[in-house]
Every structure is written in structure tokens, then in C-alpha cells.
Amino acid sequence: MPIRHIGAAALLLGALGAATAQAASPQATSEGKSDMKTSSAATAAAPLRTLGEYTDPHGIRRLYLLVSPNLSDAQIMTLAQAVHAKEKNAWLWLLDSDEKAAQMMEALPRTAQGDMAGYPGAWVQAHTVAHSQQELLPKGAGKRWALYKGPYTGTLLGELP
């Protein structure tokens, strides 16, 4: 599976001063210049890495991304907004580990049919930093993209534009 870097989000992650993300390439990439002052630790932040993408039988496209561990809620929200701006139709899954990502991606087509064998559910729960989903609003008020902390919908971090 090819590795794709999301340069703008990586630059944003660096500007926020987040810890270095795990990435396939040890070099950080940047596109353009930033007028924000950053520390040397911030500029060393590696880019986000796409762990995989899966479209379920209902046409819901999920994009699984590796992010730095220990991001603040504000950093998660800002990062998700930057990614969502480029990936408007994707339900985002932000994970802080890639240890079992290949196993997860391999099992996803089977989970859509109810077969949970091989799906690393406990690992996904433990390492999901945040996820987004498109929601229908009550009384015909339209739809919204919401970002939730962790793997469940208990803590709303905010809406994505």
C-alpha cells in the first residue's frame, strides 16, 4: 500500500509544537513557509501518514491516519479541520499507533459482513485519538460533520467545516 503524506496537515502539526509523529520516512516534509514561530522540536515533526482507506458497502469512505500521541483537544481539532478541508467526503479515524494497522485494514471488509475474526478491536479502542462522522441534524436541519474524541460519540470536540 503506498504511503501518502498530507503536507499541509504535517506543517500544521509542526506549527502546533506536537511531538514527532511516527512515519515511514524519517524526514519531515513541508510545503511553503509559515509565518508562525516554531521551536526546533516543532519543526522536526514528521508528516501524518495514511494508514489506509476503506469504503464500506454503504459507500462510507473511512480514512485512517497516524497522528502524534498526546495531542491536546485543540491540536486534534485543528489537525482534523486541515485534513477535512482536503478530504471532504471521508470519515476520519485518527490513531496514535500503527502497530496493528495492517491487521485492522485487512479485517475491515470482513467486519462489514459481521465477521470480527482478526479485527483488533481492543487495539483500535486504545489508540483511536478521534474520529469524525457525518450526522443528520433533527427536524430537517441538514447534516454536519462532527469530530469526537476517542472511538465513541460521547465527547464532541466540535464540528468540521
Side-chain angles (χ1 to χ4, degrees):
M1 174 182 316
I3 296 172
R4 183 172 57 131
H5 295 282
I6 302 173
L11 184 61
L12 177 62
L13 184 59
L16 290 171
T20 301
Q22 298 173 16
S25 169
Q27 279 189 314
T29 62
S30 63
E31 296 174 358
K33 297 179 181 176
S34 172
D35 59 354
M36 300 175 82
K37 293 183 180 179
T38 59
S39 69
S40 59
T43 57
L48 273 168
R49 181 164 58 97
T50 299
L51 298 171
E53 183 174 332
Y54 173 69
T55 301
D56 73 16
H58 303 289
I60 296 173
R61 179 176 162 247
R62 293 186 176 96
L63 185 59
Y64 296 85
L65 302 168
L66 180 66
V67 300
S68 292
N70 304 317
L71 296 176
S72 70
D73 290 354
Q75 289 171 318
I76 294 166
M77 188 67 197
T78 303
L79 183 58
Q81 288 172 334
V83 174
H84 182 72
K86 291 185 176 195
E87 300 285 353
K88 289 280 186 198
N89 69 340
W91 294 40
L92 305 177
W93 283 86
L94 308 178
L95 297 129
D96 65 5
S97 170
D98 62 356
E99 180 184 359
K100 295 188 179 185
Q103 179 183 351
M104 174 188 68
M105 296 308 301
E106 184 180 318
L108 284 173
R110 293 188 307 272
T111 65
Q113 298 169 348
D115 180 3
M116 300 303 286
Y119 182 75
W123 176 83
V124 172
Q125 283 184 326
H127 294 284
T128 299
V129 173
H131 75 283
S132 69
Q133 64 185 38
Q134 191 174 45
E135 301 174 333
L136 292 174
L137 297 172
K139 299 182 182 179
K143 298 177 185 178
R144 75 172 183 179
W145 282 98
L147 183 70
Y148 290 95
K149 187 171 187 164
Y152 306 110
T153 56
T155 305
L156 178 67
L157 292 176
E159 290 185 33
L160 300 173

